[in-house]
Amino acid sequence: MSRNLYFDKIGIMLCLRGSRQLLINGKAYTQSEGMVLILSPLFVINEVEVSPDYEERFISAEPHVVFSLLNRMSRIVVAIRIINNPCFQVDEQLFDCLESNAQRILNYEKKCEASCDSEELSIYNIMIEKIVEESILNVALYLYQHSGTVSDRETANENILFEFVMKLQRGVVKNRNVAYYAEKANLSVGYFSAVIRKTAGVSPSRLISAFTIAHAKTLLSQTKKSIKEIASVMNFPEQYTFRKYFKQYTGMAPTAYRNTVLQK
């Protein structure tokens, strides 16, 4: 039986050894040694089967780091068409570089756990962000150098998806209505939804919920705001509605999630 993985996570997953069978937005993929899997709210990833020797390494990216980069290289993002191939083989040089970066991040995270100095922690976190940025840029460059040509129609649809994702990052706190984003794109709700579903493989409402949960988790794990304050910041009418929404998509209450993160 398959299980859903990485809902709302952003980053790069490396397969160090072994293999597994995946369904990504309903399409079958095999991830094996030396392959990279891109994690994003754009992808619904289900693990169907995994070999006993499977081992992975994760380069986790904070949303603000990723979307800052996307803003600066929008044309490249559309050109590499990551939405159509989130799981791919890379050459040995790039894979070794990514594996090394993942280990460097792990080492700095251990230093963060051991440090009580706020300034030192700040420096470590900046260093982690820079390694993550370098990793994302290296993957983007590799994909760009190996990308083919696409039709004008495909490019137009991917531009619509890209603009939707960028608007989600900036506005999901206040707007979770598909009609709002369709209006911003100057499209009817029906046509907008059809383009997003065709291009991304998932509905716009699914992407809205994924970005909403990602933002909520950031507020729960990185701020001391109360559940009531977070509900207000995210434009939920009351904290009960926020708790219900959060539990619907994560299987746990906001407070339980916060406690789990703090215990790590």
Side-chain angles (χ1 to χ4, degrees):
M1 184 176 180
S2 67
R3 61 191 182 99
N4 186 263
L5 302 175
Y6 318 123
F7 180 82
D8 75 29
K9 291 187 180 297
I10 300 177
I12 302 168
M13 183 67 74
L14 311 174
C15 178
L16 303 184
R17 58 187 52 84
S19 65
R20 58 179 176 170
Q21 304 298 316
L22 302 170
L23 281 177
I24 305 176
N25 292 356
K27 184 178 178 181
Y29 290 86
T30 298
Q31 184 187 19
S32 55
E33 184 175 341
M35 294 184 72
V36 168
L37 172 66
I38 302 298
L39 305 186
S40 161
L42 288 170
F43 304 125
V44 179
I45 302 175
N46 289 278
E47 186 179 80
V48 179
E49 187 177 350
V50 58
S51 68
D53 60 337
Y54 176 77
E55 185 178 345
E56 64 188 19
R57 189 68 57 82
F58 182 37
I59 298 176
S60 176
E62 292 294 332
H64 72 273
V65 175
V66 174
F67 288 99
S68 174
L69 287 175
L70 294 184
N71 269 320
R72 285 179 276 164
M73 55 183 208
S74 58
R75 293 180 64 184
I76 295 175
V77 172
V78 172
I80 63 179
R81 308 186 73 217
I82 193 66
I83 191 67
N84 294 295
N85 191 22
C87 184
F88 49 90
Q89 188 82 38
V90 298
D91 61 36
E92 186 176 350
Q93 181 180 3
L94 175 56
F95 192 86
D96 288 346
C97 175
L98 293 172
E99 186 177 0
S100 174
N101 283 353
Q103 185 60 51
R104 290 167 64 201
I105 290 170
L106 184 62
N107 292 340
Y108 282 126
E109 287 175 342
K110 289 180 179 178
K111 290 181 179 181
C112 286
E113 292 174 3
S115 177
C116 297
D117 187 305
S118 61
E119 296 303 322
E120 190 174 64
L121 282 171
S122 178
I123 293 172
Y124 286 147
N125 283 324
I126 291 171
M127 294 174 80
I128 290 172
E129 283 191 5
K130 294 304 178 185
I131 298 171
V132 170
E133 284 186 349
E134 177 194 327
S135 301
I136 293 171
L137 289 171
N138 278 332
V139 170
L141 179 60
Y142 180 87
L143 290 175
Y144 182 73
Q145 290 173 337
H146 293 80
S147 62
T149 59
V150 297
S151 69
D152 290 342
R153 170 55 64 184
E154 289 174 316
T155 299
N157 288 347
E158 286 166 10
N159 274 319
I160 291 172
L161 174 62
F162 178 80
E163 291 300 324
F164 174 44
V165 168
M166 297 310 296
K167 285 184 172 65
L168 274 179
Q169 170 61 15
R170 294 189 292 264
V172 74
V173 173
K174 297 296 182 183
N175 298 285
R176 287 181 290 276
N177 192 312
V178 175
Y180 168 84
Y181 295 99
E183 182 181 353
K184 290 294 182 182
N186 295 314
L187 300 170
S188 69
V189 173
Y191 184 76
F192 176 77
S193 298
V195 167
I196 298 302
R197 183 177 287 279
K198 179 180 179 181
T199 309
V202 294
S203 68
S205 59
R206 192 270 169 196
L207 292 178
I208 289 171
S209 63
F211 276 84
T212 300
I213 294 301
H215 190 76
K217 284 186 172 182
T218 298
L219 292 175
L220 287 165
S221 62
Q222 299 183 15
T223 76
K224 295 182 179 180
K225 293 181 184 294
S226 67
I227 304 302
K228 183 178 180 179
E229 288 173 323
I230 292 174
S232 177
V233 166
M234 297 194 66
N235 204 31
F236 284 89
E238 55 188 359
Q239 59 177 312
Y240 168 78
T241 309
F242 170 67
R243 288 201 304 268
K244 183 179 179 181
Y245 186 98
F246 190 88
K247 189 170 184 178
Q248 176 185 348
Y249 289 102
T250 66
M252 60 196 312
T255 302
Y257 172 79
R258 172 174 272 172
N259 291 337
T260 300
V261 172
L262 293 176
Q263 287 169 8
K264 291 182 179 180

